Amino acid sequence: MAEKRPSTTLLWLTIVAAPGALGLETGLRLLLFPDDFQLIREFLNPMLTPVAWGFAVVAGLGAALGLVIQRRLIEKRIAKLPAEHSTRERRFQIAFGVFLLTTAIPQIPSIFSTFCFTFGASIVPVIVSITLTSVGVVGQALRVPKLAD
């Protein structure tokens, strides 16, 4: 029985998760929140912008950490495969599964920075966080085929 490769759609959804969350947040906030909410956002801006910067730093560190952990987890899981099950397809499935897991490391703080923006933080640290996250996630995605070999 031939093994099936994971969907490239899932790969792309993972890559665009953080920027998509910002777009979704902005759309929902503009559509559903009352106009007076902008006053709350302005009031909370000085308090939440440093928090958003903290999440940006954590997202950057998470992007680097995700790359390190990705390699180690893939190597460990492939090493545990019995020789008769160590096909290229199976190794790729393992690498892809680890990719889905380790991309959460930078994405979670990036999503939290987006929450900070919802309640008034500056967009700048959120964009920095999303950029760092996206670089880390794309870096992990590009390594999947190589780490599966």
Side-chain angles (χ1 to χ4, degrees), residues 40 53 104 128:
I40 295 169
W53 276 114
V128 169

Side-chain angles (χ1 to χ4, degrees), residues 32-56:
L32 302 176
F33 285 41
D35 292 337
D36 293 345
F37 189 69
Q38 187 57 33
L39 296 173
I40 295 169
R41 294 183 82 237
E42 290 171 11
F43 175 76
L44 294 174
N45 176 277
M47 293 168 268
L48 289 179
T49 297
V51 175
W53 276 114
F55 283 127

Side-chain angles (χ1 to χ4, degrees), residues 36-119:
D36 293 345
F37 189 69
Q38 187 57 33
L39 296 173
I40 295 169
R41 294 183 82 237
E42 290 171 11
F43 175 76
L44 294 174
N45 176 277
M47 293 168 268
L48 289 179
T49 297
V51 175
W53 276 114
F55 283 127
V57 169
V58 173
L61 293 171
L65 181 63
L67 289 165
V68 173
I69 291 174
Q70 178 193 30
R71 176 180 297 277
R72 289 186 183 156
L73 281 177
I74 290 171
E75 288 172 353
K76 279 184 174 182
R77 291 185 179 181
I78 288 176
K80 290 180 181 178
L81 271 178
E84 64 272 8
H85 295 290
S86 186
T87 64
R88 169 119 172 79
E89 289 297 317
R90 183 67 187 124
R91 289 191 309 269
F92 186 86
Q93 287 177 342
I94 289 170
F96 193 83
V98 169
F99 162 77
L100 293 175
L101 176 69
T102 57
T103 56
I105 297 169
Q107 285 178 333
I108 291 171
S110 188
I111 299 299
F112 283 131
S113 73
T114 301
F115 287 148
C116 289
F117 177 66
T118 300
F119 293 99

